[in-house]
């Protein structure tokens, strides 16, 4: 099969012919139609996390994937050959930007019928991150006031919609050019981070979801009510501000979860959540796709289509 690979840390991505993954008893093989990319891809590529998350080479890039099942392991139930599925693969099964991928049955879900493979591939990592931050960890409930930083990003666009579906009042930060989009997605308060100071605009909030870290994370403690919750995927409370403000702080790294992805898929199928795609590239242009991602201005997700 053809795949986008790296042969070592901090090396260029190349399109190469490699062996397709072998089927395992608890997994399926799919013909990949689309993949999407995330910052974790190039962070792992750089080698800065090799002591914590080592890669095996050649390493196929990408975790988010959508495609059609071609083979099923003997222990797999609930799926059939021909099913359209999507998933965020685990580290061992990573390899989305390839013609064939292996997925654990427990980590995938049926693709919502009302969206394309490209749209489906944009959902898993970002959607699961948003769901696990807001619902699983912050335990968002109807009426909560939630501040979501970086609302125009892949995670942010889905987090806004998930929070609104569960009845929250949502504020978000973004650049002015994306304000209308985020209002359309359901944001009640849109804060232009270049010209406004978010802690001057909102206060006494129940939840802050941080995807920026650093100074933004530290300033976010100021907008929480006592007993509120700050969830971050970007930074730690290195200054120990949570006790000072009498709030709960938690950093986390998302986990693949097929059942949770199926629940999110129902919201997509029913029209409560929609995907936002910044741009689409062919696999041959994978370098340009990652360059766009690293630029940091993508609105929603960047998707890569895979030739069959």
């Amino acid at each position: 099969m053809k795949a986008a690979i790296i042969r070592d840390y901090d090396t260029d991505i190349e399109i190469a012919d490699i062996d397709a993954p072998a089927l395992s008893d608890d997994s399926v093989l799919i013909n990949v139609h689309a993949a999407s990319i995330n910052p974790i891809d190039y962070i792992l590529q750089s080698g800065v996390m090799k002591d914590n998350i080592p890669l095996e080479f050649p390493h196929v890039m990408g975790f988010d994937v959508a495609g059609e099942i071609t083979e099923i392991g003997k222990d797999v139930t609930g799926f059939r050959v021909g099913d359209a599925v999507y998933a965020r693969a685990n580290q061992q099964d990573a390899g989305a930007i390839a013609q064939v991928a292996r997925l654990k049955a427990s980590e995938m879900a049926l693709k919502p019928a009302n969206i394309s493979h490209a749209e489906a591939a944009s959902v898993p990592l970002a959607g699961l991150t948003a769901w696990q931050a807001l619902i699983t960890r912050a335990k968002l409930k109807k009426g909560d006031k939630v501040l979501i930083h970086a609302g125009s990003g892949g995670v942010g666009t889905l987090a806004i919609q998930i929070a609104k579906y569960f009845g929250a009042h949502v504020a978000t930060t973004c650049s002015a050019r994306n304000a209308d989009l985020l209002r359309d997605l359901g944001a009640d308060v849109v804060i232009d981070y270049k010209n406004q100071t978010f802690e001057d605009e909102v206060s006494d909030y129940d939840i802050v979801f941080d995807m920026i870290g650093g100074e933004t994370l530290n300033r976010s403690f100021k907008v929480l009510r006592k007993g509120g919750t700050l969830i971050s995927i970007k930074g730690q409370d290195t200054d120990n501000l949570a006790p000072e403000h009498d709030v709960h702080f938690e950093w986390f790294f998302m986990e693949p979860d097929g059942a949770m992805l199926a629940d999110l898929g129902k919201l997509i199928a029913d029209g409560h959540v929609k995907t936002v795609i910044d741009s689409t590239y062919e696999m041959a242009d994978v370098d340009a796709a990652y360059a766009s991602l690293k630029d940091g201005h993508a609105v929603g997700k960047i998707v890569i289509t895979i030739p069959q």
Side-chain angles (χ1 to χ4, degrees):
M1 69 172 185
K2 291 191 180 300
I5 68 166
I6 53 173
R7 299 190 184 274
D8 203 345
Y9 295 112
D10 200 25
T11 59
D12 292 338
I13 302 172
E14 58 182 279
I15 306 300
D17 288 305
I18 63 171
D19 291 337
L23 183 66
S24 55
D25 292 344
D26 62 349
S27 300
V28 307
L29 296 183
I30 68 168
N31 279 344
V32 179
H33 289 266
S36 74
I37 58 177
N38 301 280
I40 188 62
D41 301 356
Y42 61 74
I43 292 170
L44 294 177
Q45 177 190 7
S46 72
V48 297
M49 296 183 68
K50 62 184 177 181
D51 291 337
N52 302 94
I53 308 177
L55 303 181
E56 294 183 7
F57 299 103
H59 171 74
V60 181
M61 298 292 291
F63 290 91
D64 281 339
V65 66
E68 186 175 294
I69 296 175
T70 58
E71 295 185 57
I72 295 182
K74 68 180 183 65
D75 295 337
V76 174
T77 60
F79 296 94
R80 300 178 298 176
V81 169
D83 281 347
V85 296
Y86 67 139
R88 192 284 193 185
N90 64 71
Q91 184 62 39
Q92 183 179 358
D93 292 325
I97 310 174
Q99 290 178 312
V100 178
R102 181 179 62 206
L103 301 175
K104 287 190 180 299
S106 61
E107 296 174 351
M108 67 183 187
L110 293 173
K111 179 182 75 67
N114 61 328
I115 61 174
S116 67
H117 284 284
E119 291 170 314
S122 75
V123 172
L125 186 147
L128 290 173
T129 299
W131 192 289
Q132 290 171 18
L134 296 172
I135 309 305
T136 306
R137 295 176 181 273
K139 303 189 185 309
L140 181 148
K141 61 185 183 299
K142 185 176 181 179
D144 278 348
K145 295 193 294 183
V146 181
L147 171 61
I148 296 169
H149 285 301
S152 63
V155 177
T157 52
L158 291 170
I160 289 168
Q161 296 176 82
I162 291 168
K164 286 302 295 183
Y165 175 77
F166 283 98
H169 172 90
V170 178
T172 190
T173 59
C174 67
S175 63
R177 68 188 179 97
N178 297 320
D180 287 344
L181 169 65
L182 301 194
R183 291 190 184 97
D184 288 344
L185 295 179
D188 300 289
V189 177
V190 178
I191 302 165
D192 176 2
Y193 75 91
K194 293 181 180 179
N195 296 302
Q196 294 175 285
T197 303
F198 67 83
E199 58 266 44
D200 291 339
E201 303 297 326
V202 298
S203 61
D204 201 33
Y205 267 49
D206 301 284
I207 299 167
V208 174
F209 182 19
D210 166 60
M211 289 165 276
I212 300 175
E215 180 190 1
T216 297
L217 188 158
N218 289 344
R219 289 163 50 204
S220 294
F221 286 100
K222 300 175 183 178
V223 309
L224 286 166
R225 64 168 175 80
K226 290 187 181 301
T229 298
L230 198 164
I231 304 290
S232 180
I233 60 171
K234 200 68 173 182
Q236 301 281 357
D237 180 17
T238 53
D239 293 333
N240 202 32
L241 296 174
E244 178 182 327
H245 291 273
D246 192 17
V247 301
H248 172 70
F249 172 83
E250 188 170 350
W251 173 90
F252 86 105
F253 195 83
M254 63 77 58
E255 295 286 342
D257 190 317
M260 192 177 290
L261 196 56
D263 287 340
L264 180 54
K266 292 175 185 175
L267 299 190
I268 295 170
D270 291 341
H272 299 298
V273 171
K274 63 182 180 181
T275 61
V276 178
I277 294 178
D278 177 89
S279 51
T280 302
Y281 294 81
E282 296 181 356
M283 185 164 71
D285 298 322
V286 64
D287 283 334
Y290 276 110
S292 179
L293 180 66
K294 291 178 183 178
D295 184 53
H297 297 295
V299 177
K301 292 298 297 293
I302 296 172
V303 173
I304 296 175
T305 57
I306 310 299
Q308 298 300 300

